[in-house]
Amino acid sequence: TQLIAPQWVTRFRSLLGEGRCELIGSGYTQLIGPLVPHSVNQWNQGLGLEDYQRILGQRPRLALVNEMAFSSGLVSTYLDAGYQGIIMDRDNVRLALALEDQAYEAVPSHALGPDGERLPVLWSDSILFQKLQRFAHGEIGLGDYLQYFHKRAASATRPLAAYCNDAEIFDFRPGRFSTEPAQQQESEWQRVAELLIRLRDEEGVLWLSPSAALAASGSCNPTEARTLSSIRQPVPVKKQAKYNLARWAVSGRNNLWLNSCCHHLEQQLAGNDSPDAWRELCELWASDLRTHITSERWENTRQQLEARMTSDRRQENPETTSAIPDGWNISHSPDGIFLTIETADLHLTLKRRKGLTIHSLAFRSQGFVPVVGTLAHGYFESIEYGADFYTGGVIVDLPGEHQRITDLLPAEAEFHANADGLHIFTRINTACGPIEKTLKIQRSGERISLAFAFPGWQRPRGIVRVGTTTLLPEAFDGQLQLSCTNGGPYPEIFPLDRNCDHSHPSSSLVSSTTGLGASSGEICIGDSTRALRLSWNPAHSAAFPMLIHQRIPPAHLTRLVFSLSELDDTSRPEGGMPGFCYTIEALLPRKAS
């Protein structure tokens, strides 16, 4: 803005000095905090504050949550940067906290972080700001707007945010969508100005600065602090469900590749205090590169990243032999359906006729009770769930072609051994190309790895989900919980105390509802009896994890799914189809509190 509109910056700085405007911070770039490592969030806020001071002569006291993509782990990041509060959209927090049937005001005054820190919240409102947009664009009249405004004002006990969204949408159309409302002859900014004056002079509205509004909001119940997320909405985002976290994780032109490259650069910068290097990385993690980006800008970004990827990210494959070493107990069932591998630390049974998916996996420290595997057809009483629920499979849905591709086909296992352990490889041919799957079992230790590769594939305009991990209910007799980091320094803990399905489509055009940031590449799940850690390197493949947890007689269906591609309005087929590798290992369970 300083280079493009220096006069605007000068005027804004003057208005700030006169106290007629307030500066709200959001970081150096608009990046999606729950998807990026804590170090990037720290640098993004720090660099932004430096620029505010240099350009405008002051630092903001309040921060606007970028794209309203909030995680509890970010509370400490904002506090460490010196912010006194945040602006966050209330609507999806109401969904997260199951407050839909309560008053709009039934939201806490403070956000609670996983480490117990508290941060005041000034609530914005999606419906209110969309009503003002529609009035400005001439889609609704003054009477309709005032009717809704008065309805909301009548029950408000806190200040209302009349507008909290983009400013450039007034008197400007980017031309991205055929559905953009036509511009009116009358200036939209003039309509907004006249509305705000009308609300002040004729409707008795008192306008407050954001800081004053936050102070008034906090006085309602200053001690009320809650976690603003739940397993139903682990990362609340702005507006309607199509704006969920998958949008910036695995949609766009090739967000999976883009995010994986950014994770790789972040790992390279560990211990590097060069502001210029971190500025570049923050710019590469900007949200607008992941949505409706022009072809020219995308190509420039792609070339920039390829020039920065100075080291090979591929994993080395140690020399292997086809001979199975001593000490491995490998057997086949008489009917040829199952393949079993046993070591001193784990028992693993695979389904040969279903792509070497996992039938059962058990660890020594957990009494060799199977913890993940397959729930067979007929396990659940409801016909709605009358199917097999596998572990370690691949599903590719291509709605435009009315086609589903899976690896649930007869598979031949090839055994390879090296110093690390045993590798079990299979290759399954499909209509889109081969799917290669490798299971790696160490000589000792309670862990296995599953790797998926798609040689020769082009990234489709479709849904690609791999590594689905199904918990076996009989192994768990307590309250399940899940933990992961979502852009912050500490893991966030989510009790699985309600049904959720992150993978459920939010519409016929948007293939998922929400998901987990899991910015460190690790998720832990289990109860006080048994627990598991699922881990992966996001620098190799920044997959997007989603959870399904449904209570269904006689037990529950709990599955973690890793997505490599989702569908929404930003999706474009671009580049090759990357692989994914993750590890399942036994974890010492949490102690009951």
Side-chain angles (χ1 to χ4, degrees), residues 22-217:
E22 181 174 353
L23 174 63
I24 305 297
S26 62
Y28 175 63
T29 65
Q30 179 173 271
L31 53 76
I32 307 303
L35 285 175
V36 310
H38 176 54
S39 60
V40 177
N41 280 316
Q42 285 182 306
W43 276 98
N44 191 52
Q45 293 301 332
L47 292 170
L49 291 170
E50 289 178 9
D51 285 355
Y52 296 138
Q53 184 67 51
R54 176 175 54 84
I55 297 171
L56 299 171
Q58 62 176 258
R59 293 191 172 200
R61 292 180 290 174
L62 301 183
L64 178 75
V65 177
N66 289 336
E67 300 286 14
M68 300 301 179
F70 175 82
S71 68
S72 297
L74 297 179
V75 168
S76 62
T77 302
Y78 287 118
L79 286 171
D80 290 346
Y83 285 109
Q84 299 172 20
I86 56 171
I87 300 172
M88 175 60 194
D89 185 86
R90 91 174 77 205
D91 294 284
N92 285 295
V93 170
R94 281 164 48 82
L95 286 177
L97 302 184
L99 300 175
E100 305 99 300
D101 297 331
Q102 299 186 35
Y104 281 99
E105 304 300 312
V107 285
S109 61
H110 290 62
L112 185 66
D115 57 341
E117 294 185 295
R118 302 179 176 204
L119 184 63
V121 182
L122 178 61
W123 295 104
S124 68
D125 191 291
S126 288
I127 302 298
L128 266 173
F129 89 64
Q130 289 173 334
K131 287 288 187 183
L132 191 144
Q133 283 181 348
R134 294 183 180 194
F135 169 77
H137 290 160
E139 296 181 47
I140 63 173
L142 177 62
D144 287 339
Y145 176 84
L146 291 177
Q147 181 182 17
Y148 185 77
F149 181 87
H150 286 309
K151 172 187 171 183
R152 294 294 306 279
S155 61
T157 59
R158 297 169 175 166
L160 287 174
Y163 192 77
C164 186
N165 200 55
D166 301 332
E168 69 270 17
I169 68 164
F170 301 126
D171 289 332
F172 174 73
R173 300 293 186 273
R176 292 189 321 209
F177 309 110
S178 60
T179 55
E180 290 175 354
Q183 282 188 251
Q184 309 298 307
Q185 289 186 341
E186 180 185 6
S187 166
E188 291 168 354
W189 274 114
Q190 185 62 32
R191 285 173 64 83
V192 171
E194 291 174 356
L195 173 63
L196 301 184
I197 293 171
R198 164 72 181 263
L199 290 172
R200 181 194 66 189
D201 293 347
E202 299 184 31
E203 309 296 333
V205 170
L206 173 64
W207 294 110
L208 300 173
S209 69
S211 288
L214 180 63
S217 296

Side-chain angles (χ1 to χ4, degrees), residues 205-464:
V205 170
L206 173 64
W207 294 110
L208 300 173
S209 69
S211 288
L214 180 63
S217 296
S219 64
C220 298
N221 193 346
T223 62
E224 186 185 7
R226 288 184 64 182
T227 301
L228 303 185
S229 57
S230 69
I231 197 59
R232 181 181 176 187
Q233 286 273 352
V235 180
V237 183
K238 66 178 183 179
K239 299 194 288 191
Q240 286 78 10
K242 77 172 184 176
Y243 293 100
N244 72 76
L245 197 60
R247 184 179 186 86
W248 303 282
V250 287
S251 191
R253 285 182 179 259
N254 197 346
N255 290 347
L256 176 62
W257 173 81
L258 187 56
N259 291 334
S260 302
C261 290
C262 286
H263 274 284
H264 176 68
L265 295 178
E266 187 272 339
Q267 292 179 10
Q268 285 190 322
L269 285 176
N272 187 330
D273 293 330
S274 167
D276 289 342
W278 287 98
R279 281 183 187 274
E280 181 186 24
L281 181 56
C282 289
E283 291 168 0
L284 288 169
W285 235 310
S287 64
D288 59 331
L289 297 179
R290 289 154 174 80
T291 52
H292 297 286
I293 184 174
T294 63
S295 297
E296 179 181 4
R297 192 173 177 212
W298 170 256
E299 184 61 24
N300 291 337
T301 301
R302 188 185 63 78
Q303 293 179 7
Q304 179 186 1
L305 266 173
E306 289 181 347
R308 291 286 288 108
M309 304 301 288
T310 55
S311 64
D312 193 345
R313 294 185 296 148
R314 293 175 298 179
Q315 298 182 13
E316 294 295 328
N317 292 318
E319 184 176 350
T320 63
T321 174
S322 59
I324 298 175
D326 295 335
W328 293 88
N329 186 359
I330 300 176
S331 62
H332 297 79
S333 64
D335 55 14
I337 295 176
F338 298 113
L339 166 65
T340 298
I341 302 98
E342 295 182 347
T343 73
D345 294 313
L346 63 82
H347 295 169
L348 172 67
T349 299
L350 307 176
K351 306 194 77 167
R352 296 181 59 199
R353 297 181 184 177
K354 294 296 181 181
L356 296 188
T357 53
I358 296 176
H359 177 70
S360 65
L361 172 64
F363 298 106
R364 176 176 56 82
S365 67
Q366 298 174 349
F368 287 114
V369 174
V371 285
V372 300
T374 299
L375 295 177
H377 172 245
Y379 179 88
F380 295 109
E381 296 172 4
S382 171
I383 189 62
E384 187 178 2
Y385 294 89
D388 293 287
F389 297 94
Y390 300 101
T391 286
V394 176
I395 294 179
V396 180
D397 283 335
L398 306 173
E401 302 174 24
H402 304 284
Q403 189 175 17
R404 166 169 281 193
I405 305 295
T406 78
D407 63 343
L408 301 176
L409 298 171
E412 294 298 324
E414 299 178 14
F415 296 93
H416 304 277
N418 59 27
D420 294 332
L422 184 68
H423 296 200
I424 306 167
F425 172 84
T426 192
R427 179 185 177 100
I428 299 166
N429 293 316
T430 77
C432 288
I435 298 174
E436 294 181 350
K437 182 187 299 185
T438 304
L439 293 94
K440 305 175 185 178
I441 307 172
Q442 294 186 343
R443 290 180 179 271
S444 62
E446 296 185 310
R447 66 178 61 85
I448 69 165
S449 296
L450 293 87
F452 307 88
F454 305 87
W457 282 53
Q458 293 299 305
R459 178 176 170 271
R461 188 168 189 168
I463 306 160
V464 181

Side-chain angles (χ1 to χ4, degrees), residues 534-554:
L534 283 70
S535 59
W536 63 100
N537 188 346
H540 294 152
S541 185
F544 180 55
M546 298 182 286
L547 179 75
I548 301 163
H549 178 69
Q550 303 283 342
R551 296 185 182 276
I552 312 160

Side-chain angles (χ1 to χ4, degrees), residues 1-9:
T1 303
Q2 188 180 22
L3 296 175
I4 298 172
Q7 292 180 335
W8 187 96
V9 173

